[in-house]
Amino acid sequence: MSYHIKHHLTDDLLMGYSAGALPEAFNLVIATHISLCDECRARLGSFDALGGAVVDTVAPAPMSPGALSATLAMIAAHDNEIPPQTAPQTSSIFPAPLQAYVAGDLDDVAWRKVGGGVSQMLLNTSKDATVRLLKIPAGVAVPDHGHHGTELTLVLQGAFVDEHDRFAQGDIEIATKDTHHTPVAEEGMDCICLAATDAPLQFTGIIPRIAQRFTGI
Ligand code: ZN
Ligand code: ZN
């Protein structure tokens, strides 16, 4: 499967991923993008090498009290890591890292309607952030919204456009507190995305805000 990816991960996200410092929900989106993107996989390789080199050049020093527990805490933090496997692709639209979280293929997803024709399925990860599959029917808009924190959206099928750009299969959109947008799925094919947030989205319209209370989007 080859993609013409235009929108990539930032250095900050790749470094955070390499260091095992990000929530599991973000790791899943990043690992899935990396499994599709040669460019980000190569950049990750250089961050991993850099991290290893830093460890190698630190001179041995006497252990300070608490060093052992600090080290154990660092190792525990790495339990969040999801390797960017590049196992043989099946015909599934779900790349290898995602398959452990979604049992089966697109037809097996237990979609829940969240209003406006949009459906989602929350995936099970640690509670510091959330990640969901989103299905936006062709031509349909997700209500205009801002963000309390960071939102990573990876396109798995189809494409969407918003006020900022166009995002197609393999592209990742990084929205922050300053981003306000109304993503609209392109005509022709339902848009399937994998989206992680570290805070609930903030919808601007009154009706979506009420809906938000019920759907938790
Ligand atoms: Zn990339
Ligand atoms: Zn958004």
Side-chain angles (χ1 to χ4, degrees):
M1 219 183 312
S2 96
Y3 297 91
H4 299 284
I5 297 175
K6 219 175 102 191
H7 300 280
H8 296 276
L9 293 161
T10 60
D11 285 351
D12 285 354
L13 286 168
L14 283 168
M15 269 188 270
Y17 177 81
S18 174
L22 301 177
E24 184 183 4
F26 281 33
N27 283 345
L28 179 58
V29 177
I30 292 168
T32 304
H33 176 84
I34 288 168
S35 75
L36 302 173
C37 180
D38 294 339
E39 187 183 318
C40 286
R41 195 178 314 126
R43 286 166 62 216
L44 176 69
S46 58
F47 285 123
D48 285 347
L50 196 65
V54 169
V55 171
D56 286 345
T57 54
V58 173
M63 290 264 274
S64 65
L68 179 62
S69 57
T71 306
L72 290 175
M74 270 175 67
I75 292 167
H78 276 252
D79 287 349
N80 259 352
E81 247 170 71
I82 300 161
Q85 313 135 24
T86 47
Q89 288 291 343
T90 59
S91 59
S92 172
I93 70 154
F94 300 130
L98 198 46
Q99 284 179 10
Y101 290 82
V102 189
D105 206 343
L106 194 52
D107 294 339
D108 306 309
V109 175
W111 295 110
R112 280 192 46 213
K113 297 216 179 300
V114 294
V118 179
S119 308
Q120 71 172 16
M121 185 177 84
L122 281 168
L123 305 181
N124 200 15
T125 59
S126 59
K127 300 280 175 259
D128 44 359
T130 57
V131 61
R132 72 197 74 221
L133 287 169
L134 276 176
K135 180 165 73 174
I136 313 163
V140 164
V142 176
D144 177 28
H145 61 275
H147 311 89
H148 289 294
T150 300
E151 177 191 61
L152 302 182
T153 306
L154 172 66
V155 180
L156 298 172
Q157 175 190 289
F160 70 84
V161 288
D162 67 11
E163 294 85 338
H164 309 285
D165 218 323
R166 174 180 188 269
F167 299 85
Q169 208 172 27
D171 281 332
I172 193 153
E173 184 182 39
I174 301 163
T176 65
K177 281 207 289 286
D178 307 317
T179 311
H180 248 262
H181 65 171
T182 311
V184 182
E186 277 188 354
E187 296 292 348
M189 190 188 279
D190 293 348
C191 183
I192 311 285
C193 297
L194 179 68
T197 48
D198 58 3
L201 304 190
Q202 184 180 43
F203 284 93
T204 42
I206 287 171
I207 290 170
R209 185 165 301 169
I210 292 167
Q212 184 181 9
R213 231 175 274 160
F214 290 95
T215 60
I217 232 189

